[in-house]
């Protein structure tokens, strides 16, 4: 079975540029989560969706961050404009439903210069 | 709010047993998860406790006491490949989300 698929695996860009991270959850999973991981702050939940609807976006740092889930098999996390402090590993995860074990993608390692 | 505490680092010897503790405070509790994360990789699910008691899964066991806000992960017959970060995560709060602790970095030595 295919796991959670994220793209790109690595992204290096200059500050001020728009960054779009993509995620395909496991088929049949109804909950999708975006996390950010840094050495300083650990693994932080940015936003999560149930049945394509955003439920909790309290972890989204500021208006520069936005996330969408147009259908059950695709989600994007966008940063515009990007800043060096956004450099981190961004993980997408999905689960059958909220409260069930989450399966993580391999992550996108983002570096903003 | 939610708060999760676990030791930052631990060291153990190959073949031994190690216990990683986690204490938590949360407004609303629906379960506690343990994840393993090797350096440079994604977290992978290890265990899940909803009710008090011990859940055993091979060399790994996890214990929960809801009244004490306490859990531990027990790793038996340690192997070198068990060197990783172990993340305690609590499911709950107003929006039923998963909050992760900062993780315990376990180093297994020969």
């Amino acid at each position: 079975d295919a796991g959670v698929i994220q793209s790109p695996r690595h992204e290096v860009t200059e500050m001020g540029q728009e960054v779009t991270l993509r995620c395909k959850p496991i088929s049949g999973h109804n909950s999708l989560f975006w996390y950010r991981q840094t050495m300083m702050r650990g693994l932080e939940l940015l936003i999560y969706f149930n049945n394509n609807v955003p439920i909790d976006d309290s972890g989204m740092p500021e208006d520069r961050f936005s996330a969408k889930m147009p259908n059950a098999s695709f989600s994007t996390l966008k940063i515009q404009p990007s800043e060096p402090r956004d450099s981190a590993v961004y993980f997408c995860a999905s689960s059958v439903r909220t409260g069930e074990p989450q399966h993580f993608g391999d992550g996108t390692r983002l570096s903003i210069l | 709010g939610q708060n999760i505490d676990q030791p930052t680092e631990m060291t153990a010897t190959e073949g031994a047993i190690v216990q990683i503790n986690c204490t938590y405070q949360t407004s609303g509790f629906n379960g506690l998860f343990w994840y393993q994360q090797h350096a440079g990789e994604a977290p992978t699910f290890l265990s899940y406790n909803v009710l008090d008691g011990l859940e055993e899964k091979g060399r790994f066991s996890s214990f929960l006491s809801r009244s004490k806000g306490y859990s531990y992960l027990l790793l038996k017959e340690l192997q070198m490949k068990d060197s990783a970060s172990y993340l305690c995560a609590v499911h709950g709060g107003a929006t039923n989300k998963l909050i992760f602790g900062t993780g315990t970095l376990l180093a297994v030595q020969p």
Side-chain angles (χ1 to χ4, degrees):
Chain A
D1 289 342
V4 175
I5 299 173
Q6 290 186 245
S7 65
R9 289 295 307 276
H10 299 88
E11 174 94 8
V12 181
T13 191
E14 294 184 346
M15 66 176 293
Q17 298 296 308
E18 179 178 290
V19 173
T20 300
L21 310 182
R22 298 172 176 80
C23 176
K24 177 179 170 57
I26 294 172
S27 178
H29 283 197
N30 295 314
S31 297
L32 182 141
F33 309 82
W34 282 102
Y35 291 91
R36 177 172 67 176
Q37 187 172 40
T38 61
M39 288 293 291
M40 291 297 293
R41 300 174 67 89
L43 194 61
E44 303 174 281
L45 177 68
L46 298 176
I47 186 171
Y48 87 90
F49 297 82
N50 271 351
N51 298 313
N52 313 339
V53 177
I55 303 300
D56 187 328
D57 65 354
S58 60
M60 296 286 265
E62 48 201 89
D63 292 345
R64 297 185 298 107
F65 284 67
S66 62
K68 294 182 179 179
M69 192 165 186
N71 57 61
S73 59
F74 183 65
S75 177
T76 59
L77 178 68
K78 188 172 293 188
I79 308 173
Q80 167 63 22
S82 57
E83 295 182 4
R85 60 187 167 131
D86 301 331
S87 298
V89 180
Y90 289 80
F91 287 106
C92 176
S94 70
S95 62
V96 173
R97 65 185 67 84
T98 306
E100 295 290 324
Q102 295 179 18
H103 299 263
F104 283 74
D106 289 334
T108 295
R109 190 171 297 274
L110 178 65
S111 295
I112 309 297
L113 306 178
Chain B
Q2 291 173 282
N3 188 51
I4 300 172
D5 288 312
Q6 49 181 133
T8 304
E9 296 180 345
M10 296 183 72
T11 302
T13 305
E14 191 176 15
I17 299 173
V18 71
Q19 178 175 311
I20 302 174
N21 296 324
C22 172
T23 57
Y24 64 89
Q25 294 172 317
T26 182
S27 55
F29 176 85
N30 293 317
L32 188 141
F33 294 80
W34 284 95
Y35 283 79
Q36 179 190 59
Q37 186 176 24
H38 286 99
E41 298 183 8
T44 55
F45 168 71
L46 285 179
S47 69
Y48 175 43
N49 294 71
V50 178
L51 301 176
D52 291 353
L54 191 67
E55 293 284 340
E56 297 187 79
K57 193 186 285 187
R59 294 189 299 115
F60 293 6
S61 303
S62 58
F63 171 83
L64 175 67
S65 168
R66 289 173 296 171
S67 63
K68 295 182 180 178
Y70 168 69
S71 173
Y72 66 72
L73 180 69
L74 195 70
L75 291 74
K76 303 175 185 175
E77 302 170 15
L78 280 172
Q79 303 175 9
M80 298 299 290
K81 66 178 182 179
D82 297 330
S83 294
S85 184
Y86 291 85
L87 304 168
C88 173
V90 174
H91 189 246
T95 57
N96 213 22
K97 61 186 178 185
L98 196 62
I99 301 297
F100 282 84
T102 52
T104 298
L105 185 61
L106 174 66
V108 180
Q109 298 177 338

